[in-house]
Amino acid sequence: EVQLVESGGGLVQPGRSLRLSCTASGFTFGDYAMSWVRQAPGKGLEWVGFIRSKAYGGTTEYAASVKGRFTISRDDSKSIAYLQMNSLKTEDTAVYYCTGGYGDSFDYWGQGTLVTVSS
Amino acid sequence: DIQMTQSPSSLSASVGDRVTITCRASQSISSYLNWYQQKPGKAPKLLIYAASSLQSGVPSRFSGSGSGTDFTLTISSLQPEDFATYYCQQSYSTPCTFGPGTKVDIK
């Protein structure tokens, strides 16, 4: 059974940092691109960024709203993807979903972790 | 950036109804279009990828069509578990963008 489990969410003050983790099981993690998608309360889905598999260079892409502040990385030996979030803003408040995709879609999703940025 | 629009934004339907949701891209995206279903408090679930390919395990009452800029998600006979919000998403280029969603609720 495929599982993606996010952790690391919580309440953080504006300007501070937070690191989310996504632990995967049930599929060949190293073969998949790993993405982060967020959803602000009562709003739609917003792509945050992704990291390609090593076979495709392991490179990253980010949404303009987070570029320069967020960093996605992966540890294929542990089947974990990370989202390092720096200089957090109130508008970053959202449920953050980890997703895995082999092709051009988000095939698998975690249950999400809530990040609240507030003073 | 490629903008995605969906229509309608919401609809009310009855069990057994045929439901059609439309998604439009601001430029041609070939068949790089995916559909997701999201129920309240839950993560989205992939239904259709590459415009018309049914994800494994998804009931055959769901189907997708279209290419270029115009796409359609059809539910042939709406079931109680299908009441949810549906999102389209383009994977033609980054940033990957989602449509605003279509909420399907009970009439």
Side-chain angles (χ1 to χ4, degrees):
Chain A
E1 179 194 8
V2 171
Q3 275 199 313
L4 292 173
V5 179
E6 301 95 337
S7 58
L11 175 63
V12 61
Q13 294 179 327
R16 304 298 291 265
S17 298
L18 203 62
R19 188 178 81 159
L20 306 183
S21 299
C22 170
T23 302
S25 60
F27 64 100
T28 308
F29 181 82
D31 290 346
Y32 281 64
M34 298 303 296
S35 304
W36 291 88
V37 174
R38 68 184 180 183
Q39 187 168 38
K43 303 298 184 182
L45 301 170
E46 180 188 15
W47 173 75
V48 173
F50 66 68
I51 184 166
R52 296 178 177 89
S53 67
K54 291 291 194 294
Y56 288 88
T59 52
T60 53
E61 304 282 350
Y62 299 97
S65 57
V66 307
K67 194 170 185 178
R69 300 189 298 123
F70 289 13
T71 302
I72 298 172
S73 59
R74 62 191 299 156
D75 184 338
D76 289 353
S77 68
K78 297 181 180 178
S79 297
I80 301 177
Y82 300 99
L83 177 63
Q84 176 68 44
M85 303 184 292
N86 299 333
S87 303
L88 282 160
K89 305 176 181 180
T90 55
E91 53 263 41
D92 294 319
T93 293
V95 173
Y96 283 74
Y97 294 102
C98 166
T99 82
Y102 186 76
D104 296 305
S105 54
F106 304 131
D107 302 350
Y108 308 131
W109 293 69
Q111 84 287 351
T113 187
L114 176 63
V115 173
T116 303
V117 184
S118 174
S119 54
Chain B
D1 297 1
I2 298 174
Q3 308 303 317
M4 307 299 294
T5 57
Q6 288 182 234
S7 61
S9 56
S10 65
L11 65 91
S12 295
S14 300
V15 173
D17 284 353
R18 181 181 182 89
V19 170
T20 299
I21 299 169
T22 297
C23 175
R24 177 165 289 175
S26 60
Q27 66 184 75
S28 178
I29 58 171
S30 185
S31 296
Y32 290 89
L33 191 283
N34 309 304
W35 290 97
Y36 301 87
Q37 175 195 66
Q38 187 179 33
K39 297 180 181 179
K42 300 295 186 183
K45 171 187 173 184
L46 176 65
L47 299 176
I48 301 285
Y49 63 95
S52 60
S53 295
L54 193 68
Q55 175 69 347
S56 176
V58 174
S60 59
R61 62 181 179 273
F62 291 93
S63 64
S65 65
S67 66
T69 60
D70 295 317
F71 302 87
T72 300
L73 173 70
T74 300
I75 308 172
S76 60
S77 177
L78 197 66
Q79 297 302 300
E81 60 268 31
D82 300 337
F83 292 97
T85 299
Y86 294 84
Y87 294 92
C88 62
Q89 175 249 329
Q90 66 83 15
S91 55
Y92 180 80
S93 65
T94 56
C96 307
T97 42
F98 289 88
T102 295
K103 185 176 181 180
V104 177
D105 60 20
I106 302 171
K107 181 183 287 186

Short mmCIF file of all heavy atoms in Angstrom, two decimals, chain A residues 13-65:
data_model
loop_
_atom_site.label_atom_id
_atom_site.label_comp_id
_atom_site.label_asym_id
_atom_site.label_seq_id
_atom_site.Cartn_x
_atom_site.Cartn_y
_atom_site.Cartn_z
N GLN A 13 5.92 31.86 13.92
CA GLN A 13 5.81 33.31 13.77
C GLN A 13 6.31 33.76 12.40
O GLN A 13 7.19 33.12 11.81
CB GLN A 13 6.62 34.00 14.87
CG GLN A 13 6.08 33.78 16.26
CD GLN A 13 6.94 34.47 17.32
OE1 GLN A 13 8.17 34.57 17.17
NE2 GLN A 13 6.32 34.93 18.39
N PRO A 14 5.77 34.85 11.92
CA PRO A 14 6.27 35.39 10.65
C PRO A 14 7.77 35.64 10.70
O PRO A 14 8.30 36.09 11.72
CB PRO A 14 5.49 36.71 10.51
CG PRO A 14 4.24 36.49 11.29
CD PRO A 14 4.64 35.63 12.45
N GLY A 15 8.44 35.32 9.59
CA GLY A 15 9.87 35.51 9.51
C GLY A 15 10.69 34.31 9.95
O GLY A 15 11.90 34.26 9.67
N ARG A 16 10.03 33.37 10.64
CA ARG A 16 10.75 32.21 11.13
C ARG A 16 10.77 31.09 10.08
O ARG A 16 10.24 31.25 8.97
CB ARG A 16 10.12 31.70 12.43
CG ARG A 16 10.03 32.74 13.52
CD ARG A 16 11.40 33.23 13.97
NE ARG A 16 12.16 32.23 14.67
CZ ARG A 16 12.20 32.11 15.99
NH1 ARG A 16 11.48 32.94 16.75
NH2 ARG A 16 12.94 31.18 16.56
N SER A 17 11.40 29.97 10.43
CA SER A 17 11.56 28.84 9.51
C SER A 17 10.86 27.61 10.03
O SER A 17 10.60 27.48 11.24
CB SER A 17 13.05 28.54 9.32
OG SER A 17 13.73 29.62 8.75
N LEU A 18 10.61 26.70 9.12
CA LEU A 18 9.99 25.42 9.46
C LEU A 18 10.41 24.42 8.40
O LEU A 18 10.55 24.77 7.22
CB LEU A 18 8.47 25.56 9.48
CG LEU A 18 7.63 24.58 10.30
CD1 LEU A 18 7.99 24.67 11.79
CD2 LEU A 18 6.14 24.85 10.10
N ARG A 19 10.61 23.17 8.78
CA ARG A 19 10.93 22.13 7.82
C ARG A 19 9.88 21.02 7.90
O ARG A 19 9.65 20.46 8.97
CB ARG A 19 12.32 21.53 8.04
CG ARG A 19 12.73 20.58 6.91
CD ARG A 19 14.12 20.01 7.08
NE ARG A 19 14.15 18.88 8.00
CZ ARG A 19 15.12 17.98 8.01
NH1 ARG A 19 16.13 18.07 7.17
NH2 ARG A 19 15.08 16.99 8.90
N LEU A 20 9.29 20.75 6.75
CA LEU A 20 8.34 19.65 6.65
C LEU A 20 9.04 18.42 6.09
O LEU A 20 9.94 18.55 5.25
CB LEU A 20 7.16 20.01 5.74
CG LEU A 20 6.39 21.29 6.07
CD1 LEU A 20 5.23 21.45 5.10
CD2 LEU A 20 5.93 21.31 7.50
N SER A 21 8.61 17.26 6.55
CA SER A 21 9.12 15.99 6.03
C SER A 21 7.97 15.19 5.44
O SER A 21 6.82 15.31 5.89
CB SER A 21 9.78 15.18 7.15
OG SER A 21 10.88 15.87 7.70
N CYS A 22 8.31 14.37 4.48
CA CYS A 22 7.33 13.49 3.84
C CYS A 22 7.97 12.11 3.72
O CYS A 22 8.91 11.94 2.93
CB CYS A 22 6.95 14.03 2.47
SG CYS A 22 5.98 12.89 1.45
N THR A 23 7.48 11.18 4.51
CA THR A 23 8.03 9.83 4.50
C THR A 23 7.17 8.93 3.63
O THR A 23 5.95 8.84 3.84
CB THR A 23 8.10 9.28 5.93
OG1 THR A 23 8.89 10.16 6.73
CG2 THR A 23 8.73 7.89 5.93
N ALA A 24 7.81 8.27 2.67
CA ALA A 24 7.09 7.48 1.68
C ALA A 24 7.31 5.98 1.89
O ALA A 24 8.36 5.56 2.38
CB ALA A 24 7.53 7.87 0.28
N SER A 25 6.32 5.22 1.48
CA SER A 25 6.44 3.76 1.48
C SER A 25 5.48 3.19 0.45
O SER A 25 4.53 3.85 0.03
CB SER A 25 6.14 3.19 2.87
OG SER A 25 4.82 3.52 3.27
N GLY A 26 5.76 1.97 0.02
CA GLY A 26 4.85 1.28 -0.88
C GLY A 26 5.09 1.50 -2.36
O GLY A 26 4.34 1.00 -3.20
N PHE A 27 6.12 2.29 -2.71
CA PHE A 27 6.48 2.48 -4.11
C PHE A 27 7.97 2.79 -4.18
O PHE A 27 8.61 3.07 -3.17
CB PHE A 27 5.65 3.59 -4.77
CG PHE A 27 5.84 4.97 -4.21
CD1 PHE A 27 6.66 5.90 -4.86
CD2 PHE A 27 5.21 5.37 -3.04
CE1 PHE A 27 6.83 7.18 -4.35
CE2 PHE A 27 5.37 6.64 -2.52
CZ PHE A 27 6.20 7.55 -3.18
N THR A 28 8.52 2.73 -5.37
CA THR A 28 9.96 2.96 -5.55
C THR A 28 10.22 4.45 -5.54
O THR A 28 10.20 5.13 -6.57
CB THR A 28 10.44 2.32 -6.86
OG1 THR A 28 10.04 0.95 -6.90
CG2 THR A 28 11.96 2.39 -6.95
N PHE A 29 10.48 4.96 -4.35
CA PHE A 29 10.57 6.41 -4.11
C PHE A 29 11.53 7.09 -5.09
O PHE A 29 11.24 8.15 -5.63
CB PHE A 29 11.02 6.63 -2.67
CG PHE A 29 11.14 8.07 -2.27
CD1 PHE A 29 10.03 8.81 -1.88
CD2 PHE A 29 12.39 8.69 -2.26
CE1 PHE A 29 10.14 10.14 -1.51
CE2 PHE A 29 12.52 10.02 -1.88
CZ PHE A 29 11.38 10.74 -1.50
N GLY A 30 12.67 6.48 -5.29
CA GLY A 30 13.71 7.11 -6.12
C GLY A 30 13.31 7.32 -7.56
O GLY A 30 13.91 8.15 -8.26
N ASP A 31 12.29 6.62 -8.03
CA ASP A 31 11.84 6.74 -9.41
C ASP A 31 10.84 7.88 -9.61
O ASP A 31 10.47 8.18 -10.75
CB ASP A 31 11.20 5.44 -9.89
CG ASP A 31 12.20 4.31 -10.06
OD1 ASP A 31 13.43 4.59 -10.06
OD2 ASP A 31 11.76 3.15 -10.16
N TYR A 32 10.38 8.47 -8.52
CA TYR A 32 9.29 9.44 -8.58
C TYR A 32 9.76 10.86 -8.33
O TYR A 32 10.62 11.12 -7.49
CB TYR A 32 8.22 9.09 -7.53
CG TYR A 32 7.30 7.97 -7.95
CD1 TYR A 32 7.79 6.68 -8.15
CD2 TYR A 32 5.95 8.20 -8.15
CE1 TYR A 32 6.94 5.65 -8.54
CE2 TYR A 32 5.10 7.18 -8.53
CZ TYR A 32 5.61 5.91 -8.73
OH TYR A 32 4.76 4.90 -9.13
N ALA A 33 9.16 11.79 -9.06
CA ALA A 33 9.28 13.20 -8.70
C ALA A 33 8.41 13.44 -7.48
O ALA A 33 7.31 12.87 -7.36
CB ALA A 33 8.82 14.08 -9.86
N MET A 34 8.89 14.26 -6.58
CA MET A 34 8.16 14.58 -5.36
C MET A 34 7.82 16.07 -5.36
O MET A 34 8.68 16.91 -5.59
CB MET A 34 8.97 14.21 -4.13
CG MET A 34 9.29 12.73 -4.03
SD MET A 34 7.83 11.68 -4.03
CE MET A 34 7.02 12.19 -2.50
N SER A 35 6.56 16.33 -5.13
CA SER A 35 6.07 17.71 -5.17
C SER A 35 5.41 18.08 -3.85
O SER A 35 5.02 17.22 -3.06
CB SER A 35 5.02 17.86 -6.29
OG SER A 35 5.52 17.48 -7.53
N TRP A 36 5.29 19.37 -3.65
CA TRP A 36 4.51 19.92 -2.54
C TRP A 36 3.42 20.81 -3.13
O TRP A 36 3.68 21.64 -4.00
CB TRP A 36 5.39 20.70 -1.58
CG TRP A 36 6.34 19.82 -0.81
CD1 TRP A 36 7.60 19.45 -1.19
CD2 TRP A 36 6.10 19.20 0.46
NE1 TRP A 36 8.15 18.63 -0.24
CE2 TRP A 36 7.26 18.46 0.79
CE3 TRP A 36 5.03 19.18 1.35
CZ2 TRP A 36 7.38 17.73 1.97
CZ3 TRP A 36 5.14 18.46 2.53
CH2 TRP A 36 6.30 17.74 2.83
N VAL A 37 2.21 20.60 -2.62
CA VAL A 37 1.04 21.38 -3.03
C VAL A 37 0.40 21.89 -1.75
O VAL A 37 0.29 21.13 -0.78
CB VAL A 37 0.05 20.51 -3.83
CG1 VAL A 37 -1.24 21.28 -4.12
CG2 VAL A 37 0.69 20.02 -5.13
N ARG A 38 -0.02 23.12 -1.74
CA ARG A 38 -0.64 23.66 -0.52
C ARG A 38 -2.05 24.16 -0.79
O ARG A 38 -2.44 24.41 -1.93
CB ARG A 38 0.21 24.77 0.08
CG ARG A 38 0.30 26.04 -0.74
CD ARG A 38 1.26 27.03 -0.07
NE ARG A 38 1.37 28.28 -0.83
CZ ARG A 38 2.19 29.27 -0.49
NH1 ARG A 38 2.97 29.15 0.60
NH2 ARG A 38 2.23 30.37 -1.21
N GLN A 39 -2.80 24.28 0.30
CA GLN A 39 -4.19 24.72 0.21
C GLN A 39 -4.49 25.61 1.41
O GLN A 39 -4.56 25.13 2.54
CB GLN A 39 -5.12 23.52 0.18
CG GLN A 39 -6.58 23.87 -0.07
CD GLN A 39 -7.40 22.61 -0.37
OE1 GLN A 39 -7.19 21.55 0.21
NE2 GLN A 39 -8.35 22.73 -1.29
N ALA A 40 -4.62 26.91 1.15
CA ALA A 40 -4.99 27.84 2.21
C ALA A 40 -6.41 27.54 2.68
O ALA A 40 -7.22 26.98 1.91
CB ALA A 40 -4.88 29.27 1.69
N PRO A 41 -6.74 27.89 3.90
CA PRO A 41 -8.08 27.57 4.44
C PRO A 41 -9.20 28.06 3.54
O PRO A 41 -9.26 29.23 3.19
CB PRO A 41 -8.08 28.30 5.79
CG PRO A 41 -6.64 28.37 6.18
CD PRO A 41 -5.89 28.55 4.91
N GLY A 42 -10.05 27.14 3.13
CA GLY A 42 -11.21 27.47 2.29
C GLY A 42 -10.89 27.81 0.85
O GLY A 42 -11.77 28.26 0.12
N LYS A 43 -9.65 27.60 0.44
CA LYS A 43 -9.22 27.97 -0.91
C LYS A 43 -8.89 26.75 -1.76
O LYS A 43 -9.02 25.61 -1.31
CB LYS A 43 -7.98 28.89 -0.83
CG LYS A 43 -8.20 30.15 -0.02
CD LYS A 43 -9.27 31.05 -0.62
CE LYS A 43 -9.40 32.35 0.14
NZ LYS A 43 -10.48 33.22 -0.42
N GLY A 44 -8.44 27.01 -2.98
CA GLY A 44 -8.08 25.94 -3.89
C GLY A 44 -6.65 25.47 -3.71
O GLY A 44 -5.96 25.83 -2.76
N LEU A 45 -6.21 24.65 -4.65
CA LEU A 45 -4.90 24.03 -4.59
C LEU A 45 -3.86 24.91 -5.27
O LEU A 45 -4.11 25.48 -6.33
CB LEU A 45 -4.93 22.66 -5.27
CG LEU A 45 -5.92 21.66 -4.68
CD1 LEU A 45 -6.04 20.44 -5.59
CD2 LEU A 45 -5.49 21.25 -3.29
N GLU A 46 -2.69 25.02 -4.66
CA GLU A 46 -1.58 25.79 -5.21
C GLU A 46 -0.32 24.94 -5.21
O GLU A 46 0.12 24.46 -4.16
CB GLU A 46 -1.34 27.07 -4.41
CG GLU A 46 -0.19 27.90 -4.96
CD GLU A 46 0.21 29.07 -4.08
OE1 GLU A 46 -0.20 29.11 -2.89
OE2 GLU A 46 0.93 29.96 -4.54
N TRP A 47 0.26 24.76 -6.38
CA TRP A 47 1.52 24.05 -6.48
C TRP A 47 2.64 24.90 -5.86
O TRP A 47 2.73 26.10 -6.13
CB TRP A 47 1.82 23.76 -7.95
CG TRP A 47 3.16 23.19 -8.24
CD1 TRP A 47 3.59 21.91 -8.01
CD2 TRP A 47 4.27 23.87 -8.82
NE1 TRP A 47 4.89 21.76 -8.41
CE2 TRP A 47 5.32 22.94 -8.92
CE3 TRP A 47 4.48 25.17 -9.28
CZ2 TRP A 47 6.58 23.28 -9.46
CZ3 TRP A 47 5.71 25.51 -9.83
CH2 TRP A 47 6.74 24.57 -9.90
N VAL A 48 3.47 24.26 -5.04
CA VAL A 48 4.58 24.94 -4.38
C VAL A 48 5.89 24.69 -5.13
O VAL A 48 6.67 25.62 -5.38
CB VAL A 48 4.71 24.46 -2.92
CG1 VAL A 48 5.96 25.01 -2.26
CG2 VAL A 48 3.45 24.85 -2.12
N GLY A 49 6.12 23.44 -5.47
CA GLY A 49 7.35 23.10 -6.16
C GLY A 49 7.55 21.60 -6.23
O GLY A 49 6.77 20.85 -5.66
N PHE A 50 8.58 21.21 -6.96
CA PHE A 50 8.90 19.77 -7.01
C PHE A 50 10.39 19.54 -7.18
O PHE A 50 11.15 20.45 -7.53
CB PHE A 50 8.10 19.05 -8.10
CG PHE A 50 8.41 19.43 -9.52
CD1 PHE A 50 9.61 19.11 -10.12
CD2 PHE A 50 7.45 20.08 -10.29
CE1 PHE A 50 9.88 19.44 -11.43
CE2 PHE A 50 7.70 20.41 -11.62
CZ PHE A 50 8.92 20.09 -12.19
N ILE A 51 10.77 18.30 -6.90
CA ILE A 51 12.13 17.84 -7.14
C ILE A 51 12.04 16.61 -8.04
O ILE A 51 11.29 15.67 -7.76
CB ILE A 51 12.89 17.56 -5.83
CG1 ILE A 51 14.34 17.17 -6.11
CG2 ILE A 51 12.18 16.51 -4.97
CD1 ILE A 51 15.23 17.21 -4.87
N ARG A 52 12.78 16.62 -9.11
CA ARG A 52 12.77 15.51 -10.04
C ARG A 52 13.52 14.31 -9.44
O ARG A 52 14.29 14.47 -8.49
CB ARG A 52 13.39 15.92 -11.37
CG ARG A 52 12.61 17.02 -12.10
CD ARG A 52 13.28 17.43 -13.39
NE ARG A 52 12.49 18.41 -14.12
CZ ARG A 52 12.58 19.73 -13.96
NH1 ARG A 52 13.43 20.22 -13.05
NH2 ARG A 52 11.83 20.54 -14.68
N SER A 53 13.30 13.17 -10.01
CA SER A 53 14.06 12.00 -9.60
C SER A 53 15.51 12.16 -10.04
O SER A 53 15.83 12.99 -10.91
CB SER A 53 13.46 10.73 -10.21
OG SER A 53 13.63 10.75 -11.62
N LYS A 54 16.39 11.38 -9.46
CA LYS A 54 17.81 11.45 -9.82
C LYS A 54 18.01 11.12 -11.29
O LYS A 54 18.91 11.66 -11.93
CB LYS A 54 18.60 10.47 -8.94
CG LYS A 54 18.69 10.87 -7.49
CD LYS A 54 19.56 12.10 -7.28
CE LYS A 54 19.93 12.31 -5.82
NZ LYS A 54 18.78 12.61 -4.96
N ALA A 55 17.16 10.25 -11.83
CA ALA A 55 17.27 9.90 -13.24
C ALA A 55 17.07 11.11 -14.15
O ALA A 55 17.53 11.12 -15.29
CB ALA A 55 16.26 8.81 -13.58
N TYR A 56 16.37 12.11 -13.63
CA TYR A 56 16.12 13.36 -14.37
C TYR A 56 16.88 14.52 -13.76
O TYR A 56 16.50 15.68 -13.92
CB TYR A 56 14.63 13.64 -14.45
CG TYR A 56 13.90 12.68 -15.38
CD1 TYR A 56 13.41 11.47 -14.89
CD2 TYR A 56 13.76 12.95 -16.73
CE1 TYR A 56 12.78 10.56 -15.74
CE2 TYR A 56 13.12 12.05 -17.58
CZ TYR A 56 12.64 10.86 -17.07
OH TYR A 56 12.02 9.97 -17.92
N GLY A 57 17.95 14.19 -13.10
CA GLY A 57 18.86 15.21 -12.61
C GLY A 57 18.62 15.67 -11.18
O GLY A 57 19.42 16.42 -10.62
N GLY A 58 17.48 15.26 -10.59
CA GLY A 58 17.21 15.68 -9.22
C GLY A 58 17.03 17.18 -9.07
O GLY A 58 17.20 17.71 -7.96
N THR A 59 16.71 17.86 -10.14
CA THR A 59 16.59 19.32 -10.09
C THR A 59 15.23 19.75 -9.54
O THR A 59 14.30 18.96 -9.46
CB THR A 59 16.79 19.91 -11.49
OG1 THR A 59 15.92 19.24 -12.41
CG2 THR A 59 18.23 19.73 -11.95
N THR A 60 15.15 20.99 -9.17
CA THR A 60 13.96 21.53 -8.52
C THR A 60 13.35 22.68 -9.32
O THR A 60 14.02 23.36 -10.10
CB THR A 60 14.29 22.04 -7.11
OG1 THR A 60 15.38 22.97 -7.20
CG2 THR A 60 14.68 20.91 -6.18
N GLU A 61 12.05 22.87 -9.11
CA GLU A 61 11.31 24.00 -9.67
C GLU A 61 10.39 24.51 -8.56
O GLU A 61 9.88 23.73 -7.76
CB GLU A 61 10.47 23.58 -10.88
CG GLU A 61 11.22 22.90 -12.00
CD GLU A 61 11.98 23.87 -12.89
OE1 GLU A 61 11.77 25.10 -12.75
OE2 GLU A 61 12.76 23.38 -13.73
N TYR A 62 10.14 25.82 -8.58
CA TYR A 62 9.33 26.43 -7.53
C TYR A 62 8.34 27.42 -8.10
O TYR A 62 8.57 28.04 -9.14
CB TYR A 62 10.23 27.16 -6.53
CG TYR A 62 11.22 26.26 -5.83
CD1 TYR A 62 12.54 26.15 -6.29
CD2 TYR A 62 10.85 25.53 -4.71
CE1 TYR A 62 13.44 25.32 -5.66
CE2 TYR A 62 11.75 24.69 -4.07
CZ TYR A 62 13.04 24.59 -4.56
OH TYR A 62 13.93 23.76 -3.93
N ALA A 63 7.25 27.59 -7.37
CA ALA A 63 6.32 28.66 -7.69
C ALA A 63 6.97 30.00 -7.36
O ALA A 63 7.80 30.10 -6.44
CB ALA A 63 5.04 28.49 -6.87
N ALA A 64 6.58 31.02 -8.09
CA ALA A 64 7.16 32.35 -7.89
C ALA A 64 6.93 32.84 -6.46
O ALA A 64 7.76 33.55 -5.89
CB ALA A 64 6.57 33.32 -8.89
N SER A 65 5.80 32.44 -5.86
CA SER A 65 5.44 32.94 -4.53
C SER A 65 6.36 32.42 -3.44
O SER A 65 6.39 32.98 -2.34
CB SER A 65 4.00 32.55 -4.21
OG SER A 65 3.83 31.14 -4.29
#
